[in-house]
């Protein structure tokens, strides 16, 4: 039985309106299902229900709006289907129901009182939660990043759950909200992986895919990442691990806040399982992210999750004074907040002069497909490469940021031979 | 044999069975228009869930699972019922919202791991409102 507070009871009674009543019923059901003793207050929510997956989402949002369902805590919106600054990227004629529904949904979430940041990387905004903060995350990469890199606490609250938690300001005291459920369970060691590879960005995407495949619903602990691993690299693990599997929290010894030592990560306990990551495991995951080995390069897509300020910083010297091939469409998706910073820094002019187009509020791998994304598409995002073949029915090539830029300029896929040699990945030279 | 499960969303249904060997992300891995699994990395890619009792070891990946599963249930392309091996708040949310908005009730039941493993696709399964799951051997 779930112990209800006075506040919970009042909302359930309908005294605060039908929307708050239904939202509390949903949270109570989630608490019962997850065996939570009670509900707890949350200080922040990031919601995915603003993303159009069908009319059910619009119908639910219309009900909340009509019945007084405004949010009770600061609530940030995930990406929507539409770039509201460039709506022509997904014209209505491409899928009228989806585009119209998406615009209506995004408008409703603004009226419900959300801060319409439209980003899947809310942790790249100015304000972000701290160690131990009880919050509500939804977008899977952000759940993993919030839990792992910032030490905030959330479960993966999907559509409907996320906005019901935001409308009530409450979440079940279960799962990753609780100390004992954050204990590491599987130890992944990197002893067989060359140090040089551990410095490369693409390693973090590929490692995330492996963690997703291997961890099931258990919590992985990585031993062997360089202490200098950047937030962008940890974002890559979060996004890929939450796409190929269900990684909602990972610990990295000496890197993430709850794993200063190996012992901390396991809360003094022992790992249930130890996995020595082999070069073959990494190469298998890496190669699974490329499903096309021939054909014309049609587009390059970066920014899944949204490109960060430091990723732009990495990109500018690679594109300055160069020109993307006229037959290649090069898109980068980011948040308006980051775009403003990039503009102020003078980088936007350099990037756009190179022929690269910026997208905000959404992402390039949703359907209906953004015009210009056809043929083989190259990306440096493990998450993009994981989902795109199923959703866009396209040829996908996974590579480093530098390989993506070089290929876009040349108009064909270019490989950094050294980066793809067997030795570099730790496989004994054949 | 008759197995007793935990009711995540009440309802009764019976039908042919589709067993998934791996968890599924409904968002990005399933097309609600046709009820088909589209995740290229999933062992049951191409399988159709419409009208089936789907036996699945939970979900993975995106937080968009409830929206996509809910839309599929609304369009009647979705499963007739779901049997899981552990409670799943996201599948529960989808079924609960569809029940509330449209008075359409897709039963969702969670069995424990051992009971779950006895289910197969050779004969139909029926789910009762009390959470019992019955299948001929």
């Amino acid at each position: 039985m779930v112990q209800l507070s006075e506040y919970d009871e009042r909302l359930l009674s309908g005294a605060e309106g039908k929307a708050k009543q239904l939202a509390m019923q949903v949270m109570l059901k989630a608490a019962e299902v997850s065996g939570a003793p009670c509900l707890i207050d949350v200080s922040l929510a990031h919601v995915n229900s603003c993303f159009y997956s069908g009319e059910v989402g619009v119908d639910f949002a219309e009900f909340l709006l009509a019945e007084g369902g405004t949010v009770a805590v600061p609530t940030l919106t995930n990406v929507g289907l539409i770039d509201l600054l460039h709506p022509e990227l997904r014209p209505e004629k491409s899928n009228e129901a989806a585009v119209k529904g998406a615009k209506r949904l995004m408008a409703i979430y603004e009226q419900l009182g959300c801060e319409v940041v439209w980003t899947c990387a809310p942790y790249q905004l100015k304000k972000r939660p701290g160690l131990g903060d009880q919050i509500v995350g939804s977008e899977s990469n952000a759940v993993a990043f919030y839990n792992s890199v910032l030490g905030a606490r959330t479960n993966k609250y999907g559509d409907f759950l996320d906005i019901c938690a935001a409308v009530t300001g409450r979440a079940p005291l279960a799962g990753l909200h609780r100390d004992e459920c954050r204990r590491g369970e599987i130890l992944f060691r990197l002893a067989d992986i060359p140090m040089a590879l551990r410095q490369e960005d693409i390693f973090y995407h590929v490692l995330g895919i492996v963690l997703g495949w291997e961890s099931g619903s258990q919590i992985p602990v990585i031993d062997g990442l360089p202490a200098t691993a950047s937030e962008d690299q940890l974002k890559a693990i979060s996004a890929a691990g939450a796409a190929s599997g269900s990684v909602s929290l990972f610990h990295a010894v000496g890197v993430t806040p709850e794993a200063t030592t190996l012992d901390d990560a396991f809360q003094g306990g022992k790992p249930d399982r130890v996995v020595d990551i082999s070069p073959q495991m990494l190469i298998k995951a890496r190669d699974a992210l490329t499903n096309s080995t021939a054909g014309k390069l049609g587009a390059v897509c970066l920014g899944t999750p949204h490109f960060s300020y430091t990723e732009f910083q990495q990109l500018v010297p690679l594109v300055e004074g160069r020109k993307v091939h006229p037959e290649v469409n090069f898109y980068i998706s980011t948040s308006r907040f980051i775009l403003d910073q990039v503009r102020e820094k003078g980088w936007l002019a350099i990037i756009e002069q190179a022929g690269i187009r910026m997208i905000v509020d959404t992402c390039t791998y949703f359907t209906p497909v953004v015009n210009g994304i056809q043929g083989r598409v190259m990306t440096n995002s493990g998450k993009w490469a994981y989902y795109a073949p199923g959703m866009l029915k396209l040829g996908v090539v996974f590579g480093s940021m530098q390989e993506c830029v070089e290929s876009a300029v040349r108009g064909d896929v270019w490989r950094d031979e050294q980066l793809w040699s067997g030795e570099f990945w730790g496989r004994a030279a054949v | 044999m008759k197995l007793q499960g935990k009711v995540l969303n009440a309802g009764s249904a019976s039908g042919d069975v589709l067993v998934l060997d791996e968890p599924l992300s409904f968002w990005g891995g399933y097309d609600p228009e046709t009820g088909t699994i589209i995740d290229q990395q999933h062992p049951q890619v191409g399988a159709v869930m419409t009208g089936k009792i789907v036996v699945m070891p939970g979900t993975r990946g995106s937080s968009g699972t409830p929206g996509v599963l809910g839309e599929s249930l609304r369009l009647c392309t979705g499963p007739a019922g779901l049997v899981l091996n552990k409670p799943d708040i996201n599948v529960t949310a989808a079924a609960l919202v569809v029940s509330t908005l449209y008075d359409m009730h897709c039963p969702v039941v969670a069995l424990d791991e051992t009971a779950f493993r006895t289910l197969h696709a050779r004969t139909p399964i029926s789910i009762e409102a009390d959470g019992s799951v019955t299948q001929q051997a």
Side-chain angles (χ1 to χ4, degrees), chain A residues 105-116:
Chain A
L105 199 55
M106 292 170 90
I108 292 176
Y109 272 78
E110 184 158 18
Q111 292 168 66
L112 291 177
C114 298
E115 286 172 41
V116 284

Side-chain angles (χ1 to χ4, degrees), chain A residues 22 25-26 29-30 32-35 48 51 53-56 59-60 63 138-140 156-161 213 217 242-246 288 365-366 386-387 389-391 393, chain B residues 6-10 23 25 27-29 32 38-42 59-68 70-71 74 86-90 92-94 96-98 100-102:
Chain A
L22 174 60
Q25 286 166 346
V26 170
K29 182 70 175 178
E32 284 160 5
V33 162
S34 35
N48 183 63
F51 179 80
S53 290
E55 287 308 305
V56 65
D59 292 344
F60 189 68
F63 173 84
S138 55
E139 156 60 41
S140 61
K156 182 172 61 181
Y157 294 105
D159 301 330
F160 311 134
L161 276 170
W213 282 348
S217 50
S244 70
S246 301
Y365 65 8
F366 303 138
Y386 183 88
Y387 280 120
M391 292 198 296
K393 314 264 181 297
Chain B
K6 176 175 183 172
V7 175
L8 303 188
N9 194 56
S25 175
W27 188 92
I38 58 172
D39 178 348
Q40 305 300 302
Q41 312 266 1
H42 195 281
T59 57
R60 67 181 180 201
S62 165
S63 56
T65 273
V68 172
E71 181 65 358
R74 185 186 73 85
K86 49 182 173 296
D88 183 313
I89 55 173
N90 289 305
T92 303
L96 176 57
V97 165
V98 168
T100 309
L101 289 181
Y102 310 114

Side-chain angles (χ1 to χ4, degrees), chain A residues 53-76:
Chain A
S53 290
E55 287 308 305
V56 65
V58 181
D59 292 344
F60 189 68
E62 295 279 15
F63 173 84
L64 292 180
L65 186 62
E67 302 293 342
T70 48
V71 296
V73 292
T75 301
L76 311 171

Side-chain angles (χ1 to χ4, degrees), chain A residues 136-420:
Chain A
V136 165
S138 55
E139 156 60 41
S140 61
N141 99 80
V143 163
F145 191 95
Y146 274 142
N147 275 314
S148 315
V149 185
L150 303 183
R153 301 184 162 205
T154 182
N155 294 305
K156 182 172 61 181
Y157 294 105
D159 301 330
F160 311 134
L161 276 170
D162 51 9
I163 188 64
C164 287
V167 163
T168 57
R170 303 281 277 168
L173 180 56
L176 299 178
H177 291 297
R178 307 177 65 135
D179 288 336
E180 63 277 18
C181 297
R182 299 176 70 83
R183 183 182 67 78
E185 294 169 301
I186 307 174
L187 175 58
F188 290 90
R189 297 192 297 212
L190 300 178
D192 303 331
I193 306 305
M195 288 308 285
L197 179 60
R198 302 184 213 181
Q199 309 297 337
E200 293 293 332
D201 292 339
I202 64 170
F203 165 69
Y204 291 84
H205 293 268
V206 173
L207 177 62
I209 295 290
V210 172
L211 293 185
W213 282 348
E214 293 292 327
S215 304
S217 50
Q218 292 193 293
I219 295 170
V221 176
I222 312 159
D223 189 12
L225 289 188
T228 53
S230 70
E231 281 201 1
D232 291 328
Q233 290 170 335
L234 298 175
K235 169 171 84 164
I237 297 177
S238 304
S244 70
S246 301
V247 176
S248 286
L249 163 65
F250 67 88
H251 299 298
V253 178
V255 177
T256 56
E258 294 170 50
T260 323
T261 66
L262 191 72
D263 198 49
D264 288 347
F266 289 98
Q267 294 179 5
K270 285 274 163 288
D272 301 351
R273 192 156 61 97
V274 178
V275 176
D276 282 308
I277 292 196
S278 68
Q280 289 68 24
M281 287 163 77
L282 290 176
I283 289 166
K284 180 168 174 261
R286 177 199 73 189
D287 293 347
L289 295 175
T290 293
N291 73 345
S292 134
T293 50
K296 231 185 96 24
L297 179 64
V300 169
C301 294
L302 309 184
T304 302
H306 277 167
F307 226 53
S308 69
Y309 181 82
T310 38
E311 284 171 314
F312 277 110
Q313 195 166 31
Q314 228 179 317
L315 178 80
V316 167
L318 301 177
V319 300
E320 192 157 17
R322 311 188 72 191
K323 217 49 179 137
V324 171
H325 191 280
E327 284 161 53
V328 174
N329 294 293
F330 194 143
Y331 287 112
I332 299 180
S333 35
T334 187
S335 66
R336 296 187 191 198
F337 175 74
I338 301 286
L339 184 63
D340 290 344
Q341 290 184 315
V342 168
R343 182 180 295 112
E344 271 158 40
K345 192 70 180 173
W347 290 342
L348 184 56
I350 295 170
I351 293 167
E352 289 185 329
Q353 259 151 27
I356 297 170
R357 276 176 287 178
M358 307 290 256
I359 286 186
V360 291
D361 302 346
T362 187
C363 185
T364 48
Y365 65 8
F366 303 138
T367 51
V369 69
V370 167
N371 39 30
I373 296 186
Q374 75 269 344
R376 293 171 84 199
V377 183
M378 199 165 183
T379 181
N380 72 335
S381 158
K383 177 169 186 173
W384 203 100
Y386 183 88
Y387 280 120
M391 292 198 296
L392 303 183
K393 314 264 181 297
L394 283 174
V396 173
V397 180
F398 171 68
S400 69
M401 186 190 295
Q402 199 209 355
E403 286 178 319
C404 287
V405 170
E406 208 55 48
S407 304
V409 169
R410 290 163 186 253
D412 199 8
V413 174
W414 173 82
R415 283 298 184 201
D416 170 346
E417 290 314 325
Q418 207 249 342
L419 184 60
W420 293 81

Side-chain angles (χ1 to χ4, degrees), chain B residues 42-87:
Chain B
H42 195 281
Q44 275 74 44
V45 61
V48 178
M49 289 192 178
T50 311
K52 297 255 176 67
I53 302 294
V54 176
V55 174
M56 64 187 283
T59 57
R60 67 181 180 201
S62 165
S63 56
T65 273
V68 172
L69 173 56
E71 181 65 358
S72 180
L73 293 173
R74 185 186 73 85
L75 294 171
C76 300
T77 59
L82 283 156
V83 181
L84 310 177
N85 62 349
K86 49 182 173 296

